[in-house]
């Protein structure tokens, strides 16, 4: 039984080594690579190509980042895959599941717990000999995402893959760690780059409000607020 992953990449050289390492157990990683990527993302993928099967599909957004264009391309990519099991994830989304458990689920679309992962209260707790991003253990369950599909090809997702056109199974409920806030400096830099790329079309649709309403100061404040959040 083959397992594949689909994702879209734009300037993810920091996250890609963690992402590729985490999903080494799958048979192939399919990547829609945004042609505006200007960091070392492609180089990182090439360095990992001897350890995991990575297939890259270049993609060009003509007028800035467009959520509708992106999800249409992801849906097309999903429909082109013949493997029995497919995950639809972002570069900062790490599904916590082993292959045996994934292969044992019934046919259909499965939801996973979506948990926002934040930094430790104190970095003194971190082991400096190991990557810090894997040691972030404080987080908040932030909903469900229907992103695990087994033997079900008539699936289309909406923006962000938070919903789809098929009934969603919530029986197994794997967990997904969303790492975007795990490293404050990385999070802030990543958000500022994405704010600059939001297309006029997305602004008119009301998408990316969390980005367009952000400033450097508010991003820093959000990171700092997690230190005293009772839920974390």
């Amino acid at each position: 039984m083959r397992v594949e992953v689909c994702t879209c990449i734009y300037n993810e050289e920091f996250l890609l080594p963690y992402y590729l390492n985490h999903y080494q157990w799958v048979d192939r990683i399919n990547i829609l690579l945004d042609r505006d990527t200007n960091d070392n993302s492609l180089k990182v993928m090439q360095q990992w190509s001897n350890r995991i099967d990575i297939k890259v599909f270049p993609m060009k957004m003509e007028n800035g980042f467009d959520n509708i264009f992106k999800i249409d391309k992801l849906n097309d990519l999903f429909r082109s895959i013949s493997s029995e099991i497919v995950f639809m994830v972002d570069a900062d989304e790490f599904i916590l599941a082993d292959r045996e458990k994934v292969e044992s689920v019934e046919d259909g679309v499965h939801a996973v717990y979506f948990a926002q992962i934040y930094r430790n209260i104190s970095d003194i707790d971190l082991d400096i000999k190991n990557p810090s991003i894997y040691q972030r253990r404080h987080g908040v369950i932030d909903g469900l995402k229907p992103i695990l599909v087994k033997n079900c090809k008539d699936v289309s997702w909406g923006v962000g893959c938070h919903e789809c056109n098929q009934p969603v199974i919530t029986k197994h409920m794997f967990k997904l760690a969303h790492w975007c806030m795990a490293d404050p400096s990385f999070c802030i830099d990543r958000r500022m780059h994405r704010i600059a790329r939001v297309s006029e079309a997305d602004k008119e649709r009301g998408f990316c409000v969390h980005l367009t309403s952000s400033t450097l100061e508010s991003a820093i404040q959000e990171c700092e607020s997690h230190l005293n959040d009772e839920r974390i």
Side-chain angles (χ1 to χ4, degrees):
M1 188 176 295
R2 282 181 60 84
V3 181
E4 298 194 34
V5 173
C6 295
T7 194
C8 184
I9 294 295
Y10 165 76
N11 281 6
E12 297 287 13
E13 65 175 310
F14 176 84
L15 274 174
L16 266 173
Y18 303 109
Y19 171 88
L20 296 172
N21 181 67
H22 184 80
Y23 289 109
Q24 278 192 88
W25 59 274
V26 308
D27 295 292
R28 173 177 286 169
I29 295 179
N30 300 279
I31 292 179
L32 282 175
L33 180 63
D34 193 315
R35 287 186 181 274
D36 288 334
T37 292
N38 55 17
D39 68 353
N40 291 313
S41 293
L42 184 58
K43 184 177 180 180
V44 171
M45 286 183 267
Q46 291 169 340
Q47 291 170 343
W48 278 78
S49 62
N50 63 334
R51 283 174 273 183
I52 188 168
D53 183 6
I54 302 171
K55 192 169 184 179
V56 178
F57 302 85
M59 174 188 70
K60 176 65 176 177
M61 297 189 189
E62 296 294 343
N63 300 301
F65 180 78
D66 188 316
N67 269 288
I68 298 296
F69 183 89
K70 173 186 173 181
I71 197 61
D72 285 347
K73 290 295 184 182
L74 281 170
N75 282 325
D76 288 344
L77 177 58
F78 167 77
R79 285 188 284 269
S80 73
I81 295 172
S82 60
S83 292
E84 293 87 349
I85 297 174
V86 180
F87 290 109
M88 302 290 284
V89 296
D90 288 336
D92 57 0
E93 295 179 345
F94 297 71
I95 291 181
L96 308 178
D98 60 48
R99 186 174 189 121
E100 183 178 355
K101 289 182 179 179
V102 168
E103 291 182 349
S104 70
V105 303
E106 62 265 41
D107 293 351
V109 181
H110 295 262
V112 301
Y113 281 117
F114 187 77
Q116 301 283 0
I117 305 299
Y118 303 106
R119 60 175 166 154
N120 290 31
I121 292 177
S122 170
D123 278 0
I124 294 174
D125 298 331
L126 300 181
D127 179 359
I128 61 172
K129 296 179 182 178
N130 294 301
S132 63
I133 199 166
Y134 282 136
Q135 300 178 59
R136 309 301 184 176
R137 291 291 180 263
H138 303 276
V140 180
I141 297 295
D142 199 30
L144 309 176
K145 290 191 79 173
I147 55 176
L148 192 171
V149 182
K150 181 179 180 183
N151 290 325
C152 183
K153 292 305 175 186
D154 188 23
V155 186
S156 292
W157 283 267
V159 169
C161 291
H162 290 279
E163 58 183 19
C164 69
N165 64 342
Q166 295 293 327
V168 178
I169 301 169
T170 58
K171 177 180 178 181
H172 302 280
M173 300 306 296
F174 297 104
K175 292 181 175 64
L176 180 149
H178 189 207
W179 290 104
C180 69
M181 298 296 291
D183 186 285
S185 59
F186 159 71
C187 163
I188 292 168
D189 182 66
R190 190 171 187 255
R191 182 173 297 185
M192 293 302 104
H193 276 90
R194 277 154 176 72
I195 290 172
R197 294 189 73 227
V198 176
S199 66
E200 291 302 318
D202 264 10
K203 291 178 183 177
E204 291 176 4
R205 297 173 184 131
F207 295 160
C208 299
V209 174
H210 67 293
L211 292 178
T212 55
S213 61
S214 291
T215 62
L216 176 60
E217 291 73 22
S218 67
I220 294 173
Q221 185 178 16
E222 183 178 350
C223 285
E224 293 300 325
S225 69
H226 300 142
L227 294 177
N228 299 312
D229 192 327
E230 295 179 355
R231 300 173 302 165
I232 301 174

